[in-house]
């Protein structure tokens, strides 16, 4: 394995990280939106969201990606590997995020919401100024956990042809007939990223339990 | 479109054998990982730094490695070390080793919150060794860890889909074959998605029944 | 034989945890039908003494005999294996401070578990006996409930019935009422008093001075790991021999007069 090969894997890493970041950034607000629809118990739409979340949580990302990549062009929606990857990541992670947000919303003390109503705040103000600032810290560990899970499934993007870490590693393995070294390099890139997120999650949880203990 | 699903229906035996393989693969690896987890958990709580460190390294390491890369290493990487496994053995081995780390951590967490006194009562009432473990320690441990173990089983079902890349004939692989044979991607893959969904709903039903049993005892 | 009446013989038992000597050279003989209350300030080693009797804690020195049979050390002078120890433990019932009921079993199953699984007695017989015991502690209607659904006082009455279901030669109580709300203490003490009247052989670690005074046949006063004083409750509470005992009784005087703190 040459230095150029390692450089190729790192180039793949940039693709992986970029796609993950896009997935996370789009998935967070969509997840919140889905959670709000369920929380507000919007008729029909709430049921649809519940089914969507249940189904997406059960669907392996590979299967979802293959479905998007092959089936959407069939009905006239052009799909590049990258757009299929982003769509798949967003769909999957938003379903998981929805559950994290929703459990924070369900546990939100009702009397606070009523107090905001009683001082005349409108729905938007109540949500932005009272609810959101409190559910964000509660949801944070779960959301970070979901981020690390998302990063861990990104190797599957290679299946639809995205030239990410994994595809670069597979290609080098096939060229050199030495698959082990490129895979080890790939793992060496993944481990610190996931480890950092896992540590971040533990740190947030520890800080919050300490803050609760002091309160 | 209805015609497409007709083709899927005509290929149902292929799809069902894929579903069966996914179910078998998941069930086998969940059971094996749970049993091996029981062996790793004591090491995670060991007071000897070497044993503890090794177990921690394994568990935390596995939790940071993407499953797909791990499966690649077992299937493509091990042969360069002279260990060649077929796709079934390497797929199963990858699922088992990987999930052993998760199961061990789940069991450790459940063990840490178990009260000590009922176990001591078991000893005082003459239970010892295997019987103490089987009748006094294990049931409440499994009840409290049950829902988390169930969630991990759903994760295992989803991870098993990755094994399509090493040509293991599981559900996603079956759907891919149907799609490439007849070029009906939507019908083939959406059927697979519904079958995964069904499998997970069955597991979730199991989780909630364990949850009800546990709730009565809490 | 003059010895046959002696159920428990603790001879010179010592136990240390690290540098801390919890029991030093404690002896105690209990005859059949006696109710011995072990008293003393917290940290005096009372619970450790109890736990040494059935070898939940392994004593560092001294001997323990149950009906003349050595506990923990076999004839060859070697520490017993789990199997031999468990055989002896089935003859010593124990009631725990925090009840220690098995959460995954119903009340009736809690009573039947060890007699069936460890003593291997016939299920039907054990069941009849267990139901009779539950009736005795006034919990017949709770036999199919899980422990989590019981009040503390009910849990502890199940704890006593569970220990009795083993048909033990000796019953040990480790502060059986100190985890209970004050209003629930009475119902457990009633059951214990009844057992004392029936002639059950019991060693009870407790802070219930009133109970010790009128239910015990003898008290043992421990202080800083030493058996400072032993004798009849009348004599101990009215005219203790040592200054330490006097101070201890004074601190709990209200308890003896008023029933409870």
């Amino acid at each position: 394995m040459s230095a150029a090969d390692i450089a190729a894997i790192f180039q793949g890493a940039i693709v992986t990280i970029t796609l993950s970041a896009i997935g996370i950034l789009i998935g967070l607000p969509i997840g919140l939106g889905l959670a709000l629809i369920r929380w507000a118990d919007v008729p029909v739409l709430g049921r649809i969201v519940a089914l969507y979340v249940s189904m997406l949580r059960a669907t392996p990302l590979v299967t979802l990606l293959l479905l998007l990549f092959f089936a959407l062009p069939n009905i006239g929606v052009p799909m590049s590997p990258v757009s299929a990857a982003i769509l798949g990541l967003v769909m999957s992670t938003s379903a998981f995020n929805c559950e994290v947000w929703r459990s924070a919303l369900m546990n939100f003390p009702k009397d606070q919401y009523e107090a905001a109503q009683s001082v005349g705040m409108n729905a938007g103000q109540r949500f932005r100024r009272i609810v959101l600032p409190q559910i964000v810290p509660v949801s944070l560990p779960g959301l970070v956990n979901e981020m690390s899970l998302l990063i861990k499934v990104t190797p599957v993007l290679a299946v639809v042809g995205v030239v990410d870490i994994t595809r670069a590693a597979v290609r080098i393995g096939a060229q050199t007939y030495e698959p082990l070294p490129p895979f080890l390099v790939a793992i060496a890139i993944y481990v610190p990223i996931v480890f950092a997120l896992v540590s971040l999650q533990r740190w947030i949880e520890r800080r919050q339990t300490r803050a609760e203990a002091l309160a | 479109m209805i015609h497409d699903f007709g083709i899927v229906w005509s290929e149902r035996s292929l799809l069902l054998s894929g579903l069966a393989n996914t179910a078998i693969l998941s069930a086998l690896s969940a059971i094996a990982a749970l049993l091996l987890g029981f062996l790793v958990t004591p090491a995670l709580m060991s007071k000897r730094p070497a044993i503890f460190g090794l177990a921690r390294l394994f568990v935390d390491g596995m939790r940071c490695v993407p499953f797909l890369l791990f499966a690649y290493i077992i299937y493509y990487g091990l042969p360069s070390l002279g260990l060649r496994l077929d796709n079934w053995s390497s797929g199963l081995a990858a699922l088992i080793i990987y999930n052993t780390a998760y199961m061990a951590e789940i069991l450790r967490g459940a063990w840490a919150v178990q009260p000590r006194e009922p176990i001591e009562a078991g000893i005082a009432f003459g239970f010892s060794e295997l019987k103490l473990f089987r009748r006094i320690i294990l049931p409440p441990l499994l009840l409290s860890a049950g829902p988390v173990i169930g969630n991990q089983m759903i994760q295992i079902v989803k991870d098993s889909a990755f094994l399509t890349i090493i040509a293991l004939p599981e559900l996603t692989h079956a759907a891919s074959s149907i799609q490439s044979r007849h070029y009906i991607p939507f019908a083939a893959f959406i059927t697979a998605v519904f079958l995964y969904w069904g499998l997970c709903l069955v597991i979730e039903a199991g989780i909630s029944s364990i949850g009800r049993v546990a709730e009565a005892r809490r | 034989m003059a010895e046959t009446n002696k159920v428990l013989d603790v001879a010179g038992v010592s136990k240390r945890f690290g540098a801390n000597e919890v029991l030093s050279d404690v002896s105690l003989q209990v005859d059949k039908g006696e109710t011995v209350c072990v008293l003393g300030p917290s940290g005096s080693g009372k619970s450790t003494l109890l736990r040494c009797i059935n070898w939940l804690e392994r004593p560092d020195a001294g001997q323990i005999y149950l009906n003349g049979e050595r506990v923990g050390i076999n004839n060859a002078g070697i520490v017993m294996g789990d199997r031999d120890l468990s055989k002896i433990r089935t003859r010593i019932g124990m009631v725990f401070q925090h009840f220690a009921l098995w959460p995954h079993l119903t009340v009736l199953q809690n009573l039947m578990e060890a007699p069936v699984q460890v003593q291997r007695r016939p299920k039907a017989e054990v069941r009849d006996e267990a139901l009779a015991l539950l009736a005795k502690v006034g919990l017949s209607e709770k036999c199919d409930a899980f422990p989590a659904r019981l009040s503390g006082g009910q849990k502890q009455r199940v704890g006593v019935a569970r220990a009795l279901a083993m048909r033990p030669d000796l019953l040990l109580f480790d502060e059986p009422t100190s985890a209970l709300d004050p209003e629930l203490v009475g119902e457990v003490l009633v059951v214990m008093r009844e057992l004392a009247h029936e002639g059950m052989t019991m060693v009870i670690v407790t802070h219930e001075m009133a109970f010790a005074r009128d239910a015990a046949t003898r008290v043992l006063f421990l202080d800083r790991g030493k058996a400072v004083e032993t004798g009849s409750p009348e004599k101990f509470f009215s005219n203790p021999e040592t200054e330490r005992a006097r101070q201890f009784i004074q601190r709990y005087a209200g308890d003896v007069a008023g029933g409870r703190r």
Side-chain angles (χ1 to χ4, degrees):
Chain A
M1 201 169 54
S2 65
D5 290 340
I6 295 180
I9 296 180
F10 271 90
Q11 228 151 27
I14 292 169
V15 174
T16 297
I17 292 168
T18 310
L19 291 179
S20 305
I22 294 173
I24 288 168
L25 288 176
I26 304 177
L28 276 177
I30 293 185
L32 179 58
L34 295 175
L36 284 172
I37 291 172
R38 288 207 63 188
W39 183 54
D41 221 354
V42 180
V44 187
L45 206 54
R47 293 294 307 154
I48 294 175
V49 170
L51 285 179
Y52 169 85
V53 168
S54 169
M55 186 157 109
L56 262 291
R57 276 157 55 92
T59 306
L61 189 60
V62 215
T63 324
L64 179 65
L65 280 175
L66 290 170
L67 175 69
L68 296 172
F69 186 67
F70 288 110
L72 285 184
N74 237 12
I75 54 168
V77 183
M79 269 290 132
S80 70
V82 167
S83 47
I86 292 175
L87 188 57
L89 284 175
V90 167
M91 283 175 75
S92 155
T93 196
S94 61
F96 281 91
N97 285 342
C98 168
E99 287 304 277
V100 177
W101 287 118
R102 195 170 74 95
S103 94
L105 284 169
M106 303 289 275
N107 292 325
F108 186 79
K110 206 174 169 197
D111 51 353
Q112 285 202 31
Y113 197 76
E114 284 164 353
Q117 257 172 327
S118 73
V119 295
M121 287 189 179
N122 65 33
Q125 285 172 323
R126 287 198 299 265
F127 180 71
R128 267 200 329 277
R129 306 209 51 89
I130 306 297
V131 180
L132 197 58
Q134 297 190 61
I135 61 168
V136 167
V138 175
S139 309
L140 212 50
L143 295 173
V144 175
N145 177 48
E146 172 47 28
M147 288 174 203
S148 67
L149 292 178
L150 177 135
I151 304 242
K152 268 196 287 186
V153 292
T154 51
V156 97
L157 302 181
V159 171
V160 291
V162 175
V163 188
D164 69 335
I165 298 180
T166 307
R167 197 169 184 87
V170 171
R171 190 182 281 169
I172 293 160
Q175 281 163 0
T176 58
Y177 298 102
E178 281 281 350
L180 200 51
F183 283 137
L184 291 178
V185 173
I187 284 180
I189 296 172
Y190 267 108
V191 167
I193 297 174
V194 180
F195 185 75
L197 283 171
V198 171
S199 309
L200 175 67
Q201 180 196 343
R202 283 183 191 158
W203 179 75
I204 295 170
E205 279 169 348
R206 256 204 310 276
R207 225 181 51 153
Q208 286 180 350
T209 31
R210 209 177 305 146
E212 269 165 36
L214 287 175
Chain B
M1 184 57 77
I2 293 187
H3 174 70
D4 288 359
F5 283 101
I7 298 175
V8 171
W9 177 248
S10 69
E11 294 275 21
R12 62 187 176 281
S13 63
L14 179 60
L15 216 47
L16 286 179
S17 84
L19 177 66
N21 284 342
T22 290
I24 291 168
L25 208 55
S26 308
L28 277 183
S29 39
I31 293 166
L34 189 59
L35 292 178
L36 290 173
F38 273 114
L39 298 180
V40 177
T41 304
L44 277 178
M45 298 182 296
S46 172
K47 288 195 175 66
R48 293 162 67 180
I51 295 177
F52 167 79
L54 223 59
R56 256 286 139 228
L57 189 70
F58 167 67
V59 169
D60 284 352
M62 279 301 146
R63 297 197 327 154
C64 290
V65 171
F67 174 71
L68 191 124
L69 284 178
F70 184 66
Y72 264 135
I73 293 257
I74 300 274
Y75 187 65
Y76 293 110
L78 285 189
S80 42
L81 300 177
L83 186 63
R84 187 174 294 277
L85 299 171
D86 65 20
N87 52 0
W88 265 97
S89 330
S90 44
L92 203 54
L95 274 177
I96 291 173
I97 298 170
Y98 192 74
N99 284 288
T100 293
Y102 287 81
M103 292 294 190
E105 182 68 11
I106 289 169
L107 291 172
R108 189 200 61 79
W111 173 256
V113 298
Q114 291 291 311
R116 297 290 309 160
E117 255 200 338
I119 298 168
E120 214 160 53
I123 298 169
F125 278 68
F127 285 90
S128 65
E129 295 162 358
L130 201 60
K131 201 161 225 176
L132 179 72
F133 180 74
R134 206 162 47 88
R135 299 204 58 100
I136 304 295
I137 299 177
L138 192 59
L141 186 68
L142 284 184
L143 278 180
S144 82
V148 197
I149 291 173
N151 284 336
Q152 191 58 34
M153 279 184 72
I154 292 179
Q155 198 54 50
I156 292 176
V157 169
K158 294 169 66 179
D159 280 350
S160 75
F162 288 161
L163 298 176
T164 184
I165 53 135
I166 59 170
L168 207 152
E170 46 68 63
L171 182 52
T172 298
H173 197 260
S176 291
S177 321
I178 296 173
Q179 124 77 7
S180 60
R181 212 177 289 169
H182 305 281
Y183 202 65
I184 44 163
F186 181 76
F189 288 120
I190 202 74
T191 309
V193 165
F194 274 98
L195 290 174
Y196 277 114
W197 194 15
L199 205 53
C200 290
L201 289 179
V202 169
I203 298 174
E204 271 169 18
I207 297 174
S208 67
S209 66
I210 292 176
R212 272 197 304 279
V213 172
E215 192 51 47
R217 290 156 176 76
R218 190 153 45 219
Chain C
M1 286 197 288
E3 292 283 280
T4 47
N5 238 9
K6 199 188 283 174
V7 174
L8 177 70
D9 184 355
V10 175
V13 161
S14 299
K15 174 74 188 174
R16 52 169 65 241
F17 294 117
N20 185 15
E21 182 151 53
V22 188
L23 286 178
S24 76
D25 197 22
V26 173
S27 296
L28 168 69
Q29 280 89 38
V30 182
D31 284 343
K32 195 166 168 52
E34 267 199 292
T35 300
V36 176
C37 281
V38 182
L39 308 175
S42 36
S44 57
K46 305 183 299 289
S47 289
T48 308
L49 172 64
L50 220 55
R51 294 162 58 83
C52 280
I53 290 173
N54 63 357
W55 268 58
L56 281 181
E57 267 350 312
R58 184 173 155 178
D60 297 330
Q63 297 104 45
I64 294 154
Y65 297 89
L66 181 71
N67 286 326
E69 196 181 322
R70 181 88 186 260
V71 179
I73 308 284
N74 64 18
N75 293 336
I78 313 170
V79 172
M80 283 181 173
D82 271 354
R83 253 155 233 276
D84 290 339
L85 258 181
S86 88
K87 218 166 273 164
I88 289 198
R89 282 174 177 149
T90 58
R91 289 156 51 198
I92 308 174
M94 190 163 192
V95 176
F96 292 80
Q97 182 177 359
H98 298 284
F99 330 122
L101 300 179
W102 296 310
H104 57 295
L105 302 176
T106 64
V107 166
L108 183 62
Q109 286 168 339
N110 259 278
L111 265 66
M112 293 174 63
E113 177 73 5
V116 171
Q117 293 296 329
V118 181
Q119 293 178 321
R120 302 208 165 278
R121 281 156 53 193
K123 219 172 179 170
E125 171 205 304
V126 171
R127 189 186 157 83
D128 291 345
E129 208 172 302
L131 287 171
L133 285 168
L134 283 177
K136 181 176 181 169
V137 299
L139 287 173
S140 292
E141 78 283 10
K142 295 288 182 190
C143 74
D144 292 322
F146 286 103
R149 296 283 170 273
L150 304 181
S151 73
Q154 291 172 331
K155 281 181 190 165
Q156 197 57 299
R157 284 187 279 155
V158 173
V160 176
R162 179 178 68 170
L164 289 171
M166 300 289 282
R167 297 178 176 165
D169 299 335
L170 170 71
L171 210 46
L172 307 175
F173 290 79
D174 188 5
E175 303 199 21
T177 56
S178 49
L180 296 178
D181 292 336
E183 72 272 19
L184 300 177
V185 169
E187 61 188 72
V188 174
L189 292 183
V190 165
V191 171
M192 290 165 62
R193 233 174 228 134
E194 200 181 322
L195 290 174
H197 280 303
E198 288 170 6
M200 184 77 215
T201 313
M202 303 190 282
V203 178
I204 302 169
V205 169
T206 185
H207 288 293
E208 299 292 332
M209 294 303 142
F211 174 81
R213 197 179 55 172
D214 49 57
T217 53
R218 200 146 49 90
V219 297
L220 170 70
F221 177 64
L222 283 189
D223 189 42
R224 283 173 233 167
K226 292 197 172 65
V228 176
E229 209 172 319
T230 179
S232 75
E234 296 79 22
K235 179 171 176 301
F236 177 78
F237 283 109
S238 58
N239 188 21
E241 288 167 16
T242 57
E243 185 51 35
R244 278 185 199 169
R246 206 183 311 275
Q247 284 170 358
F248 174 76
I249 295 163
Q250 237 156 34
R251 194 175 313 151
Y252 286 92
D255 196 40
V256 180
R260 252 198 79 79
R261 262 160 284 157

